[in-house]
């Protein structure tokens, strides 16, 4: 988490972000869950989506380091938006297979187009639960990034479904665990979930492991 090394690939993360920023479009965004605190309608400019809905450059660097450190071979991202998170995973592990799921058609088309040179990334235009129940979903993922539909009850439902697609060493990353009271209470529920052993609260992101050899412990760190 605190690795201060300046990886050469960070330039590529910045370049991709710039290319998304400069490729201005207006997209129709469908709302599948907790809605937005920023946008009042569903017609949105991509540079505004980038500013308000996508992983920050610091988060993408952490995602990059985690994927590389754990040498992930496959990953699932629920919530593609403009493709910033999947691009970081793909850059970290170019041979890993990355499934990323986005419900909004125009948003997923935009991400697919931007990521078309990243052949290891597959953008699925689907709702999260439909994807998890489909045969497109792999049996096991090394890393699962839940970054969308910030509703407490939905988050717990997704987590229970995602457990079926995890193994003992899978890393779960949950975004915005303190976005609302409801999300914070879902996070607390998950920390005590019988399958959860280690959890780390970094305020913005929550990390979860289900390694059976570990007793249940919760940690706080500040990023
Ligand atoms: C916060 S953004 C994802 C950001 C992205 N992971 C990144 O790293 O930049 C969340 C996305 O999830 C999508 N989404 C939310 N709930 C969904 C659902 N139930 N099914 C499919 N997509 C959903 C939204 O349309 C939105 O584009």
């Amino acid at each position: 988490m605190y690795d201060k090394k300046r990886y050469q690939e960070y330039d590529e993360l910045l370049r991709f972000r710039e290319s998304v920023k400069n490729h201005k479009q207006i997209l129709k965004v469908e709302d599948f869950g907790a809605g937005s605190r920023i946008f009042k309608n569903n017609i949105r400019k991509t540079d505004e989506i980038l500013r308000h809905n996508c992983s920050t450059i610091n988060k993408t660097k952490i995602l990059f380091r985690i994927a590389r450190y754990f040498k992930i071979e496959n990953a699932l991202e629920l919530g593609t938006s403009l493709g910033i998170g999947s691009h970081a995973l793909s850059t970290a592990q170019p041979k890993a297979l990355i499934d990323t799921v986005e419900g909004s058609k125009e948003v997923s088309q935009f991400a697919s187009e931007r990521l078309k040179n990243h052949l290891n990334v597959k953008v699925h235009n689907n709702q999260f639960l439909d994807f998890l129940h489909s045969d497109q979903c792999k049996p096991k993922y090394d890393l699962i990034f839940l970054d969308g539909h910030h509703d407490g009850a939905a988050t717990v439902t997704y987590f229970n479904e995602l457990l079926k697609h995890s193994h003992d060493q899978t890393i779960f990353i949950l975004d915005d665990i303190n976005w609302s009271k409801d999300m914070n209470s879902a996070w607390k529920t998950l920390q005590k979930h019988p399958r959860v052993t280690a959890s780390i609260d970094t305020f913005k992101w929550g990390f979860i492991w289900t390694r059976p050899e570990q007793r249940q412990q919760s940690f706080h760190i500040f990023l």
Side-chain angles (χ1 to χ4, degrees):
M1 300 277 189
Y2 295 124
D3 181 0
K4 296 274 184 274
K5 184 174 159 194
R6 205 198 168 295
Y7 291 91
Q8 213 182 317
E9 289 87 345
Y10 287 173
D11 291 340
E12 174 52 25
L13 301 186
L14 280 167
R15 255 198 305 274
F16 183 76
R17 198 176 189 85
E18 277 303 298
S19 84
V20 168
K21 191 171 158 194
N22 294 332
H23 205 92
K24 293 187 185 2
Q25 274 188 32
I26 292 178
L27 305 177
K28 189 169 107 209
V29 175
E30 294 144 72
D31 181 8
F32 297 99
S36 171
R37 287 182 183 164
I38 307 286
F39 298 105
K40 300 290 171 235
N41 68 34
N42 65 347
I43 303 297
R44 296 177 196 169
K45 293 182 182 161
T46 46
D47 53 343
E48 287 176 0
I49 298 178
L50 178 66
R51 200 162 344 118
H52 297 295
N53 287 121
C54 296
S55 291
T56 59
I57 189 67
N58 278 345
K59 279 184 170 181
T60 45
K61 286 179 183 171
I62 296 169
L63 210 49
F64 166 89
R65 296 201 296 268
I66 290 169
R68 174 166 286 205
Y69 180 84
F70 288 102
K71 299 186 175 63
I72 58 145
E73 291 179 5
N74 55 49
L76 170 63
E77 177 186 48
L78 292 185
T80 315
S81 192
L82 306 183
I84 299 288
S86 13
H87 174 265
L89 294 170
S90 164
T91 304
Q93 290 292 92
K95 290 195 176 137
L97 298 176
I98 293 140
D99 286 318
T100 180
V101 187
E102 172 55 55
S104 270
K105 191 165 175 210
E106 293 189 8
V107 177
S108 83
Q109 279 168 347
F110 181 92
S112 298
E113 188 56 30
R114 302 273 72 69
L115 290 163
K116 67 175 180 237
N117 294 331
H118 289 256
L119 300 177
N120 62 333
V121 180
K122 186 150 189 221
V123 181
H124 302 266
N125 177 213
N126 216 335
Q127 293 210 31
F128 297 164
L129 273 186
D130 291 340
F131 176 80
L132 292 174
H133 295 154
S134 76
D135 54 12
Q136 298 282 301
C137 188
K138 295 193 178 57
K140 306 281 169 209
Y141 289 99
D142 298 334
L143 183 148
I144 295 175
F145 182 29
L146 175 51
D147 188 13
H149 199 170
H150 295 141
D151 169 83
T155 298
V156 174
T157 303
Y158 295 136
F159 183 76
N160 282 315
E161 283 300 318
L162 288 167
L163 281 174
K164 299 174 194 161
H165 298 276
S166 67
H167 53 73
D168 289 348
Q169 308 299 325
T170 300
I171 308 148
F172 294 84
I173 307 174
L174 280 65
D175 187 58
D176 272 342
I177 52 170
N178 284 300
W179 191 70
S180 61
K181 271 192 177 167
D182 176 51
M183 280 299 284
N184 181 259
S185 110
W187 169 244
K188 293 208 162 92
T189 303
L190 294 182
Q191 283 181 302
K192 292 190 210 115
H193 190 292
R195 288 280 309 280
V196 171
T197 48
S199 63
I200 306 179
D201 182 335
T202 70
F203 191 72
K204 277 276 188 188
W205 274 353
F207 291 81
I208 284 178
W209 282 265
T210 59
R211 290 190 295 219
E213 66 273 19
Q214 191 160 352
R215 72 183 166 87
Q216 199 168 61
Q217 276 182 301
S218 305
F219 303 89
H220 274 83
I221 60 170
F222 293 98
L223 290 175

